[in-house]
Short mmCIF file of all heavy atoms in Angstrom, two decimals:
data_model
loop_
_atom_site.label_atom_id
_atom_site.label_comp_id
_atom_site.label_asym_id
_atom_site.label_seq_id
_atom_site.Cartn_x
_atom_site.Cartn_y
_atom_site.Cartn_z
N SER Y 76 -6.69 10.25 -3.65
CA SER Y 76 -7.09 10.32 -5.05
C SER Y 76 -6.85 9.01 -5.78
O SER Y 76 -7.08 8.92 -6.97
CB SER Y 76 -6.37 11.46 -5.76
OG SER Y 76 -4.97 11.31 -5.62
N ARG Y 77 -6.37 8.01 -5.07
CA ARG Y 77 -6.38 6.66 -5.62
C ARG Y 77 -6.55 5.66 -4.49
O ARG Y 77 -6.18 5.94 -3.35
CB ARG Y 77 -5.12 6.36 -6.45
CG ARG Y 77 -3.81 6.72 -5.78
CD ARG Y 77 -2.66 6.09 -6.55
NE ARG Y 77 -1.72 7.06 -7.07
CZ ARG Y 77 -0.45 6.75 -7.34
NH1 ARG Y 77 0.02 5.54 -7.14
NH2 ARG Y 77 0.36 7.68 -7.80
N PRO Y 78 -7.13 4.48 -4.81
CA PRO Y 78 -7.44 3.51 -3.75
C PRO Y 78 -6.19 2.79 -3.25
O PRO Y 78 -5.15 2.80 -3.90
CB PRO Y 78 -8.40 2.54 -4.45
CG PRO Y 78 -8.07 2.64 -5.90
CD PRO Y 78 -7.57 4.04 -6.13
N GLY Y 79 -6.32 2.15 -2.09
CA GLY Y 79 -5.27 1.27 -1.59
C GLY Y 79 -4.01 1.97 -1.16
O GLY Y 79 -2.91 1.45 -1.34
N GLN Y 80 -4.14 3.17 -0.58
CA GLN Y 80 -2.95 3.88 -0.13
C GLN Y 80 -2.82 3.79 1.39
O GLN Y 80 -3.71 3.32 2.08
CB GLN Y 80 -3.04 5.36 -0.52
CG GLN Y 80 -3.17 5.62 -2.01
CD GLN Y 80 -2.94 7.09 -2.32
OE1 GLN Y 80 -1.82 7.54 -2.47
NE2 GLN Y 80 -4.02 7.84 -2.41
N LEU Y 81 -1.70 4.27 1.91
CA LEU Y 81 -1.55 4.44 3.35
C LEU Y 81 -2.58 5.44 3.83
O LEU Y 81 -3.18 6.17 3.03
CB LEU Y 81 -0.14 4.98 3.66
CG LEU Y 81 1.03 4.05 3.39
CD1 LEU Y 81 2.35 4.83 3.52
CD2 LEU Y 81 1.02 2.88 4.36
N ARG Y 82 -2.77 5.53 5.16
CA ARG Y 82 -3.68 6.52 5.71
C ARG Y 82 -3.00 7.88 5.67
O ARG Y 82 -1.83 8.02 6.07
CB ARG Y 82 -4.03 6.14 7.15
CG ARG Y 82 -5.25 6.83 7.70
CD ARG Y 82 -5.92 5.96 8.79
NE ARG Y 82 -4.95 5.51 9.79
CZ ARG Y 82 -4.61 6.20 10.87
NH1 ARG Y 82 -5.15 7.37 11.10
NH2 ARG Y 82 -3.74 5.70 11.73
N ALA Y 83 -3.72 8.89 5.18
CA ALA Y 83 -3.15 10.24 5.11
C ALA Y 83 -3.06 10.82 6.52
O ALA Y 83 -3.72 10.33 7.45
CB ALA Y 83 -4.02 11.14 4.23
N SER Y 84 -2.26 11.84 6.66
CA SER Y 84 -2.15 12.55 7.94
C SER Y 84 -3.52 12.87 8.51
O SER Y 84 -4.46 13.18 7.79
CB SER Y 84 -1.38 13.85 7.72
OG SER Y 84 -1.66 14.75 8.76
N ALA Y 85 -3.61 12.82 9.84
CA ALA Y 85 -4.87 13.15 10.52
C ALA Y 85 -5.26 14.59 10.27
O ALA Y 85 -6.42 14.96 10.43
CB ALA Y 85 -4.72 12.90 12.02
N GLU Y 86 -4.30 15.43 9.88
CA GLU Y 86 -4.58 16.85 9.72
C GLU Y 86 -4.70 17.26 8.24
O GLU Y 86 -4.56 18.43 7.91
CB GLU Y 86 -3.50 17.66 10.44
CG GLU Y 86 -3.72 17.61 11.95
CD GLU Y 86 -2.46 17.73 12.78
OE1 GLU Y 86 -1.37 17.38 12.28
OE2 GLU Y 86 -2.57 18.19 13.92
N THR Y 87 -4.99 16.28 7.39
CA THR Y 87 -5.11 16.55 5.96
C THR Y 87 -6.17 17.61 5.66
O THR Y 87 -6.01 18.43 4.76
CB THR Y 87 -5.44 15.25 5.21
OG1 THR Y 87 -4.40 14.30 5.46
CG2 THR Y 87 -5.55 15.47 3.72
N SER Y 88 -7.25 17.62 6.45
CA SER Y 88 -8.33 18.57 6.17
C SER Y 88 -7.86 20.02 6.31
O SER Y 88 -8.37 20.91 5.63
CB SER Y 88 -9.54 18.31 7.08
OG SER Y 88 -9.16 18.39 8.45
N ILE Y 89 -6.88 20.27 7.18
CA ILE Y 89 -6.36 21.63 7.34
C ILE Y 89 -5.54 22.02 6.10
O ILE Y 89 -5.65 23.14 5.60
CB ILE Y 89 -5.52 21.75 8.63
CG1 ILE Y 89 -6.41 21.44 9.86
CG2 ILE Y 89 -4.88 23.13 8.75
CD1 ILE Y 89 -5.66 21.39 11.18
N HIS Y 90 -4.74 21.08 5.60
CA HIS Y 90 -3.99 21.36 4.37
C HIS Y 90 -4.96 21.69 3.23
O HIS Y 90 -4.75 22.63 2.47
CB HIS Y 90 -3.14 20.13 3.97
CG HIS Y 90 -2.00 19.86 4.89
ND1 HIS Y 90 -0.68 19.95 4.50
CD2 HIS Y 90 -1.96 19.49 6.19
CE1 HIS Y 90 0.10 19.66 5.53
NE2 HIS Y 90 -0.65 19.36 6.57
N ALA Y 91 -6.04 20.89 3.12
CA ALA Y 91 -7.00 21.11 2.03
C ALA Y 91 -7.66 22.48 2.17
O ALA Y 91 -7.88 23.17 1.16
CB ALA Y 91 -8.05 19.99 2.04
N ALA Y 92 -7.96 22.90 3.41
CA ALA Y 92 -8.56 24.23 3.61
C ALA Y 92 -7.60 25.32 3.13
O ALA Y 92 -8.03 26.32 2.55
CB ALA Y 92 -8.91 24.42 5.09
N VAL Y 93 -6.30 25.13 3.37
CA VAL Y 93 -5.32 26.11 2.90
C VAL Y 93 -5.26 26.11 1.37
O VAL Y 93 -5.25 27.18 0.74
CB VAL Y 93 -3.92 25.82 3.51
CG1 VAL Y 93 -2.86 26.72 2.86
CG2 VAL Y 93 -3.94 26.02 5.02
N TYR Y 94 -5.26 24.93 0.76
CA TYR Y 94 -5.22 24.87 -0.71
C TYR Y 94 -6.47 25.50 -1.33
O TYR Y 94 -6.41 26.10 -2.39
CB TYR Y 94 -5.05 23.43 -1.20
CG TYR Y 94 -3.66 22.86 -0.97
CD1 TYR Y 94 -3.47 21.69 -0.25
CD2 TYR Y 94 -2.55 23.52 -1.49
CE1 TYR Y 94 -2.20 21.18 -0.04
CE2 TYR Y 94 -1.27 23.02 -1.28
CZ TYR Y 94 -1.09 21.85 -0.56
OH TYR Y 94 0.16 21.36 -0.35
N ARG Y 95 -7.62 25.35 -0.66
CA ARG Y 95 -8.85 25.92 -1.20
C ARG Y 95 -8.86 27.44 -1.16
O ARG Y 95 -9.48 28.08 -1.99
CB ARG Y 95 -10.07 25.42 -0.39
CG ARG Y 95 -10.55 24.03 -0.74
CD ARG Y 95 -11.97 23.80 -0.23
NE ARG Y 95 -12.10 23.86 1.21
CZ ARG Y 95 -11.83 22.86 2.05
NH1 ARG Y 95 -11.41 21.70 1.57
NH2 ARG Y 95 -11.99 23.01 3.35
N THR Y 96 -8.19 28.01 -0.17
CA THR Y 96 -8.40 29.45 0.10
C THR Y 96 -7.17 30.31 -0.17
O THR Y 96 -7.24 31.53 0.01
CB THR Y 96 -8.81 29.66 1.57
OG1 THR Y 96 -7.83 29.06 2.42
CG2 THR Y 96 -10.16 29.03 1.84
N THR Y 97 -6.04 29.71 -0.56
CA THR Y 97 -4.82 30.50 -0.82
C THR Y 97 -4.19 30.02 -2.14
O THR Y 97 -4.67 29.08 -2.75
CB THR Y 97 -3.78 30.34 0.29
OG1 THR Y 97 -3.20 29.02 0.19
CG2 THR Y 97 -4.38 30.52 1.67
N GLN Y 98 -3.09 30.67 -2.51
CA GLN Y 98 -2.33 30.27 -3.70
C GLN Y 98 -1.27 29.21 -3.36
O GLN Y 98 -0.37 28.97 -4.16
CB GLN Y 98 -1.63 31.49 -4.30
CG GLN Y 98 -2.55 32.64 -4.64
CD GLN Y 98 -3.44 32.29 -5.81
OE1 GLN Y 98 -2.97 31.81 -6.83
NE2 GLN Y 98 -4.74 32.52 -5.65
N ALA Y 99 -1.36 28.61 -2.18
CA ALA Y 99 -0.29 27.73 -1.70
C ALA Y 99 0.01 26.58 -2.68
O ALA Y 99 -0.90 25.97 -3.23
CB ALA Y 99 -0.65 27.15 -0.34
N GLU Y 100 1.31 26.31 -2.84
CA GLU Y 100 1.76 25.11 -3.56
C GLU Y 100 2.27 24.07 -2.56
O GLU Y 100 2.43 22.90 -2.92
CB GLU Y 100 2.88 25.46 -4.54
CG GLU Y 100 2.46 26.39 -5.67
CD GLU Y 100 1.56 25.69 -6.68
OE1 GLU Y 100 1.75 24.49 -6.92
OE2 GLU Y 100 0.66 26.36 -7.22
N ALA Y 101 2.57 24.51 -1.33
CA ALA Y 101 3.10 23.60 -0.31
C ALA Y 101 2.66 24.09 1.07
O ALA Y 101 2.52 25.29 1.30
CB ALA Y 101 4.61 23.55 -0.39
#
Side-chain angles (χ1 to χ4, degrees):
S76 56
R77 49 166 120 155
Q80 301 193 84
L81 292 170
R82 197 153 50 87
S84 159
E86 285 151 334
T87 301
S88 57
I89 299 174
H90 291 245
V93 172
Y94 287 124
R95 280 198 297 277
T96 55
T97 73
Q98 304 291 312
E100 295 288 326

